[in-house]
Amino acid sequence: MRIEVLNTGSELLLGTTMNTHGGWFGQELFKLGLRVQRQTTVPDGDAIREALAECVGRADVVLVTGGLGPTSDDITREATAAVLGAELIEDEAAMRSLEAYFALRGYEMSPDNRKQAQVPVGADVLPNPNGTAPGIYVPPRLNGAANCAVFLLPGPPRELYPMFHAEVMPRLKALSGGETAEEVLELKFAGLGESAIHHGVDALLAEIPNLEVGYCARTSEVDVRLIGNAEAIAKGREIVLAAFGDRCFSEDGSSLEEVVVGCFSERGLKLAIAESCTGGLIASRVTDVPGSSTVLTYGFVSYANEAKRDLLGVSWDDLQRVGAVSETVAKQMAEGALKASGADVAVSVTGIAGPGGGTEEKPVGTVFLALAIKGGVTQVRRERYVRDRLAFKLTVSQTALEMVLRAGERLRRG
Amino acid sequence: MRIEVLNTGSELLLGTTMNTHGGWFGQELFKLGLRVQRQTTVPDGDAIREALAECVGRADVVLVTGGLGPTSDDITREATAAVLGAELIEDEAAMRSLEAYFALRGYEMSPDNRKQAQVPVGADVLPNPNGTAPGIYVPPRLNGAANCAVFLLPGPPRELYPMFHAEVMPRLKALSGGETAEEVLELKFAGLGESAIHHGVDALLAEIPNLEVGYCARTSEVDVRLIGNAEAIAKGREIVLAAFGDRCFSEDGSSLEEVVVGCFSERGLKLAIAESCTGGLIASRVTDVPGSSTVLTYGFVSYANEAKRDLLGVSWDDLQRVGAVSETVAKQMAEGALKASGADVAVSVTGIAGPGGGTEEKPVGTVFLALAIKGGVTQVRRERYVRDRLAFKLTVSQTALEMVLRAGERLRRG
């Protein structure tokens, strides 16, 4: 089954918005054993019709994103109707859903929004609980010209992703028939590079018949994807975990913060976080997880030295003597957070995110992480992560959460 | 001049590597007054030849990335020679440069690397100081079939970017000749819907000759893009700001957090943040900005009631009586943060992110935001944002940062 992705939007080609859809679709489709054969980006306007006609002529399925809004440059609906030779009509259910969307939020619906309820005759309307633009599915064989299924989907990820999972994936499974019989296992690893994992296991995995292996490197995380029948996957899993099992944190697609919250809430453990260089990112990641309020109680963003002293009881003398980015201060921050919060585990980070602030002894990218455990001995790690400011923050948060997870697991054992 | 970008590489379509090239080329070309008309991604293999033939048939310039390496799936050179009907020959200078690259690093050159010195007859070799793959420039009119310039460039950004600046940009300037450079203005608005802005100004903007208007809706932010000559942009700007100027926070592409940090650091103002439902996200956004350490001193992630009491001095009686999600508690949180930190401005948020925790009186999505100013009267806002947990957090952080920005602006005036 040949699948193409067509992303529309001038902002994607001007570079003012990063086009993350191509890769995202690739990852999602891969879980179904499907591949994207081509991805095309075109600006708003006539180029959409031209490119869609080409895609429809080549592919079995075309996934189109963007251009479903209420404004004058949103013309994907019209372009699709023209290419498929279908008439656009106002869909009653889509109209009711639009009205309900505005009513729930207490906004008045603009007359421009009416065009968002227009769909090609015979198409399915795909509900959008997170925005005004409903998606549209035009099944194959609806028109003489093309034997191609076309999905029109909203551009913003928070509207696109849920709609894709709820509405597109089941239809793709049905369209692809037997193609999706394979299973998928995704193992996630923290603190390892892609080439280390690849080098360590790729040759062994290549010997397993009918096993497809994919690696996905993220910031301070590598995901290994195994695709094949149950037997091949079990063999592959054994090889990967034998080599790197101690760094694996998830086998079911859960994120590191989800695993941490699951581990802590299962055991009734409380977590406190004292952040300097990550500036609240670790706490924010933990609180992205529903139910985290039973786990995270106190978070301290002690950016200034005064905050480290006042909130966490770090010694002013030590701050002056060894500096905020030091083993001593990291230790006192974690212990201070543990004491102030009454939590079971506290983690602290203090480092130099850059671009300024580095010294010869402590260059940009230097960070100290400390882990304090109730009744235990505080551990401190020194790391150096040379990367831009945002990637630095994300990497430090990843290391901190991995330390927290291993502490939580030990507390079960103990 | 019609420019297309062709990115090659299976990893881009599998989603294991993010394709950032499309947007990057767009940004760089726009500086020259040029646009990317289409961007296409294809996997390694025969698809490259097929897609390149299409691009060459449509465009004046094609920028191809990837597939210049030494391995068996690197076939961009061969595909280009086939499409353009040109013969491949070993280029002496390219070969010497390859040998020098390996000698400098003390590696032995593999026989596979020899093919990296193969170029179409008459093409220019573009030096690559950061890798083994030289770039290739095939000027237009070199072949009968196409009047199109083709650049073959390496995929890795650290090889691509310097080569683009040193070798591609001068040639593109020469190719584009006298094409007039357009300007772009991007206005960013907080707290307004795309359709409200569109409805308010689109008809007026449409009357300005030679002005191109684009809207981009983000979470709790709309960007309006005006493209044209200086006169058209100035007229368009006046119309948009007359209608919505009070919600505009940026005219130079800066993010809301960058504008907040800029405004506060310029005036020597300090900010404190007390977060419940956003869990550290507001502080994390502020600390994404270099130099924010002079602005943000204290951040409190007071998720638990005990934290609100102990860190911010919120009354335990009030927490029991009116609940944590209330005007009273929001006010006390902001005032407590101001007092504990000694900052000039403090913002607090307390709300129900969901999916659990809602009541009839305070449904999921309810949030109170308070702003305390040194020597001023604390303001409290109640809002309701019906969306998923992450979008709720982002929307609340956006509203909070907009409140903070307006306070900072007023403090300059006062």
Side-chain angles (χ1 to χ4, degrees), chain B residues 79-134:
Chain B
T80 304
V83 166
L84 299 180
E87 198 191 340
L88 280 177
I89 52 163
E90 186 171 296
D91 184 89
E92 264 189 52
M95 197 61 202
R96 276 198 303 273
S97 150
L98 268 172
E99 286 164 353
Y101 182 93
F102 283 96
L104 180 66
R105 286 156 182 82
Y107 301 151
E108 202 177 326
M109 190 171 112
S110 135
D112 297 331
N113 288 102
R114 277 197 89 90
K115 78 170 190 174
Q116 296 189 284
Q118 297 266 321
V119 304
V121 175
D124 295 357
V125 173
L126 312 179
N128 181 356
N130 302 300
T132 59

Side-chain angles (χ1 to χ4, degrees), chain A residues 11 13 15 17 26-27 38-39 41 54 72 105 112 215 279 283-284 287-288 298-299 301 306 310 389 393, chain B residues 13 15-16 26-27 38-39 41 54 198 202 218 225 279 283-284 287-288 298-299 301 306 310 386 389 393:
Chain A
E11 71 279 9
L13 289 172
T17 298
Q27 292 178 6
R38 187 189 286 208
Q39 176 272 330
T41 311
E54 294 168 22
S72 53
R105 286 156 180 83
D112 298 331
Y215 302 91
S284 185
T287 58
D288 281 350
Y298 287 59
V301 183
E306 289 78 5
D310 299 347
R389 188 175 174 93
K393 285 179 64 177
Chain B
L13 290 171
T16 52
Q27 291 176 2
R38 189 188 286 208
Q39 175 273 329
T41 312
E54 294 168 23
H198 174 261
D202 200 55
R218 305 171 189 279
R225 199 170 47 239
S284 184
T287 58
D288 281 350
Y298 286 60
V301 183
E306 288 77 6
D310 299 347
V386 182
R389 188 176 175 93
K393 285 179 64 178

Side-chain angles (χ1 to χ4, degrees), chain B residues 123-181:
Chain B
D124 295 357
V125 173
L126 312 179
N128 181 356
N130 302 300
T132 59
I136 292 171
Y137 171 55
V138 189
R141 296 191 192 81
L142 195 70
N143 56 88
N147 187 9
C148 176
V150 178
F151 290 89
L152 307 186
L153 304 167
R158 68 183 198 89
E159 300 179 29
L160 170 65
Y161 295 179
M163 188 185 291
F164 184 84
H165 290 131
E167 303 291 339
V168 181
M169 281 183 86
R171 287 178 173 87
L172 284 178
K173 273 185 197 160
L175 287 168
S176 68
E179 257 182 77
T180 46

